[in-house]
Amino acid sequence: MISNRAIAAHLERIAQAIDLADPDSGRSRTYAAAARRVESSKRDFAALAEAGELTGVSGIGPSLARTIGEFVKDGSSRRLNELLQRIPAGAWQLLSIRGLGARTVGRIVRDLGVSDLDSLKAAGNDGRLSQLPGIGSRKVTGILAEVERIAATRGLYPLGLALAAGHVEATRLGEIEGVGAVLLAGAARRACETMSGVDLVVAVRDPNRPELAALGGESLIQLDPDELREPVPVRVRVTSEESLGSTLALATGSREHLARLTDLARRRGIELESPGSAFATEAEFYRALGLDPIPPELREGRDEIDLALRGQLPRLLEHPDLGCDLHAHSDWSDGQDSIAAMAEAGQRIGLRHLVISDHSQSLAVANGLSPERLLAQREEIKAQAGQHAGLTLLHGTESEIRVDGSLDYEPELLARLDWVVASVHAGLGQSRSVLTERIQTAISDPATCVIGHPTGRILLGREGFDFDHDAVFAAAAEAGVALEINSQPGRLDLSAELARRAAAAGAVLTVNSDAHAATQLANTQLGVMIARRAGLTRAQVINAWEWERIAEHRERRLAGA
């Protein structure tokens, strides 16, 4: 069944298409408003469409009902298809430029003949862009910087998107007769945060059958027909079941890792690519080289081979280790689902503790909670206590770190909460020294339990803000404040590299979902992959501890111990 979110995304794309095709018409507002109404509604719009009952919904007239019905039935709509005929295909790329709305892009396309990023860059460089109303020379400089950023990341895909595309293709391949296994390989299996595509290894029972051998190669997977993203390349390598282990190992390791393996193998008289060096499992492959099996996330050519030779590989964090999620949102702020729905989802996936940590008062754009609303929310959380067997629901906040480093509620109120995530969302343009001091000030507040998404980066969209990482990591380690690996697919912040540095500095970390909907609680699977890539163990990740130990940690902080 088509979800409300998918319907809303389609309506929002129509709104954007109207602004691109006819930027002065104002007709996009109807579709944009309908998109918001659908996404926030608890009613099932797909079911309403199939029952012919959409026109009974406030704000949904016959035209909108017809468009929604077509999308539910066919995955597209006549209205959108008509608009797409009037818009240069490359114009959609311009919507990824921060600071340019669809209406402004529409005027740039119409008035300057811009059709893609390259022609936008030319219009910026020759002065035409700055002559449009509302676009001065300063804004042109920012637009050109954005064009360069997009060009530098073109052809890269975030880990979450690559995994989803790989899953779709793996499911299809796994249904083919004669296919024994379809396994993830390459950069995605190593939990690289971005990559050029996703790699799969397909083990077949009879590699001599032409139709099975022909499964190898590259295909493009478009996950959502209404997505603006380019389809993800999926590369497939076919092997026999007897060679699965060695093929998978060679298709997973980084270039540096494989170079070191090759050197080690030759010193032992083994040629890795020869038929005589084929192994059915990766464990057999690595043990033939005198190594303990190396977790895929560590196969980067650092020190993992030396550790494997000495039998000193760490026991990395695993997803079942996470008994707590310390950062999740509800519909009290900018989440989609109720506290009860979040608790039910947490119970289903086996969480023992879930902290509802909605945004604090100064983040008005996210419907941040005033002190009065925070106290009212506390009563609702108390009322939910005991309603979800095996799950303890806890009350926290994601407190904004103000520009001076202070937290967003009075200390007495913060002390009443079970958990405090302190995060920066505004003032990202402060200088390096000011931002460093700002975060260190928040760390020194005894109410702060963890710094949320510490760098503020958006994968392939925004670099993390500039602060002295090592100084902040040292301050967090000294104070006992955790640093978050935020598992939102668009963030994955801290990165694996920074998480490794934080752990080396003695800081503890958390892996949290930052869920804004019940389904997003599963995001922590991505966060665990990043933690494993960083080499983290259970002892280094605070929400893999028992809650009693976490609570003691919190009380020591409040007491200044």
Side-chain angles (χ1 to χ4, degrees):
M1 183 69 74
I2 300 291
S3 68
N4 280 6
R5 175 174 287 189
I7 295 170
H10 187 77
L11 295 174
E12 181 60 36
R13 191 176 186 196
I14 291 175
Q16 292 175 324
I18 291 171
D19 283 336
L20 288 175
D22 192 2
D24 297 326
S25 71
R27 296 192 185 98
S28 64
R29 296 188 186 96
T30 299
Y31 288 90
R36 292 191 296 270
R37 185 176 295 111
V38 170
E39 186 159 16
S40 63
S41 177
K42 302 300 183 185
R43 304 180 71 180
D44 186 335
F45 271 68
L48 290 170
E50 291 179 347
E53 297 174 358
L54 281 175
T55 52
V57 178
S58 175
I60 304 295
S63 178
L64 274 171
R66 182 170 57 253
T67 296
I68 293 172
E70 290 170 356
F71 177 69
V72 169
K73 181 176 180 289
D74 301 323
S76 189
S77 68
R78 183 167 47 188
R79 179 67 171 132
L80 179 60
N81 292 335
E82 290 171 349
L83 287 164
L84 292 177
Q85 299 302 314
R86 300 165 54 190
I87 302 166
W92 291 99
Q93 296 177 323
L94 309 186
L95 295 179
S96 59
I97 295 176
R98 291 193 298 267
L100 286 186
R103 194 166 301 169
T104 302
V105 170
R107 293 191 180 105
I108 291 172
V109 170
R110 181 192 64 192
D111 297 345
L112 301 182
V114 167
S115 59
D116 54 23
L117 288 169
D118 292 336
S119 55
L120 177 65
K121 181 178 180 179
N125 287 330
D126 65 20
R128 288 179 292 138
L129 189 56
S130 61
Q131 295 172 11
L132 284 180
I135 301 183
S137 58
R138 184 175 179 180
K139 189 163 188 176
V140 169
T141 299
I143 290 171
L144 291 176
E146 276 288 282
V147 171
E148 292 300 320
R149 177 191 65 79
I150 294 169
T153 59
R154 190 177 291 173
L156 292 178
Y157 304 87
L159 174 61
L161 184 65
L163 289 173
H167 175 74
V168 168
E169 184 67 349
T171 300
R172 183 188 73 82
L173 292 169
E175 295 172 350
I176 297 173
E177 184 180 357
V179 169
V182 184
L183 299 174
L184 186 69
R189 190 167 180 234
R190 299 199 312 276
C192 297
E193 289 138 22
T194 62
M195 61 207 69
S196 63
V198 63
D199 296 279
L200 299 175
V201 170
V202 176
V204 298
R205 299 185 182 97
D206 183 1
N208 295 317
R209 281 175 55 188
E211 64 271 26
L212 294 179
L215 296 177
E218 182 175 298
S219 58
L220 296 174
I221 303 299
Q222 182 74 57
L223 291 173
D224 185 338
D226 203 46
E227 280 283 348
L228 299 182
R229 293 190 183 98
E230 295 177 1
V232 181
V234 178
R235 299 175 288 262
V236 174
R237 185 170 176 178
V238 177
T239 189
S240 67
E241 291 181 326
E242 294 76 17
S243 301
L244 176 58
S246 44
T247 302
L248 187 59
L250 295 172
T252 295
S254 72
R255 183 177 303 172
E256 294 78 9
H257 178 82
L258 295 179
R260 293 205 59 195
L261 281 184
T262 300
D263 181 63
L264 178 64
R266 284 175 179 164
R267 283 188 274 120
R268 292 173 178 264
I270 299 172
E271 290 295 329
L272 292 183
E273 299 274 6
S274 69
S277 300
F279 298 93
T281 70
E282 285 188 310
E284 292 171 341
F285 172 86
Y286 278 101
R287 289 193 177 109
L289 299 176
L291 303 170
D292 285 348
I294 299 173
E297 299 89 346
L298 298 185
R299 300 178 194 174
E300 290 292 343
R302 296 187 180 94
D303 61 351
E304 71 274 8
I305 290 177
D306 294 332
L307 292 172
L309 282 168
R310 298 196 300 267
Q312 294 177 349
L313 286 167
R315 186 276 196 190
L316 299 180
L317 180 76
E318 296 179 0
H319 194 254
D321 293 334
L322 297 186
C324 309
D325 192 334
L326 304 172
H327 183 178
H329 296 269
S330 74
D331 58 4
W332 279 70
S333 65
D334 61 343
Q336 294 181 24
D337 292 316
S338 67
I339 290 172
M342 296 297 290
E344 289 166 6
Q347 179 192 41
R348 281 196 303 273
I349 65 174
L351 287 176
R352 296 188 297 275
H353 295 82
L354 174 64
V355 179
I356 299 297
S357 49
D358 278 309
H359 290 289
S360 62
Q361 57 188 340
S362 69
L363 203 64
V365 69
N367 192 28
L369 276 63
S370 66
E372 294 75 21
R373 290 183 66 217
L374 185 69
L375 291 172
Q377 185 187 54
R378 187 168 184 80
E379 294 307 309
E380 179 173 338
I381 288 175
K382 286 181 180 178
Q384 288 284 331
Q387 301 298 309
H388 310 279
L391 175 77
T392 300
L393 199 59
L394 299 162
H395 191 209
T397 182
E398 184 177 12
S399 172
E400 184 68 9
I401 300 175
R402 298 169 177 153
V403 292
D404 63 356
S406 63
L407 301 188
D408 212 11
Y409 296 120
E410 292 301 314
E412 296 79 11
L413 184 53
L414 290 168
R416 296 179 63 180
L417 299 172
D418 298 304
W419 195 254
V420 175
V421 179
S423 303
V424 172
H425 293 95
L428 305 185
Q430 290 178 311
S431 69
R432 176 182 175 86
S433 60
V434 169
L435 276 166
T436 301
E437 183 177 358
R438 179 180 173 185
I439 301 171
Q440 288 175 318
T441 299
I443 287 171
S444 69
D445 191 309
T448 300
C449 302
V450 57
I451 301 298
H453 44 74
T455 76
R457 77 153 177 194
I458 302 297
L459 270 178
L460 302 178
R462 179 178 73 202
E463 294 292 331
F465 53 78
D466 188 22
F467 65 93
D468 186 332
H469 297 129
D470 293 325
V472 165
F473 297 164
E478 182 177 358
V481 169
L483 298 164
E484 183 179 65
I485 297 175
N486 185 290
S487 303
Q488 279 286 339
R491 287 191 182 274
L492 301 184
D493 177 20
L494 292 171
S495 67
E497 178 59 33
L498 289 180
R500 186 182 298 108
R501 282 169 55 184
V508 290
L509 293 101
T510 66
V511 175
N512 296 319
S513 67
D514 191 10
H516 284 66
T519 55
Q520 294 178 10
L521 288 172
N523 284 346
T524 49
Q525 296 180 62
L526 285 178
V528 168
M529 292 180 72
I530 299 302
R532 289 173 62 85
R533 183 171 171 82
L536 300 185
T537 66
R538 177 174 181 168
Q540 294 169 301
V541 178
I542 199 169
N543 51 322
W545 304 350
E546 294 300 322
W547 175 255
E548 291 72 22
R549 183 182 174 192
I550 299 173
E552 289 173 7
H553 188 81
R554 160 86 166 139
E555 291 304 317
R556 286 197 301 271
R557 285 279 300 141
L558 286 172

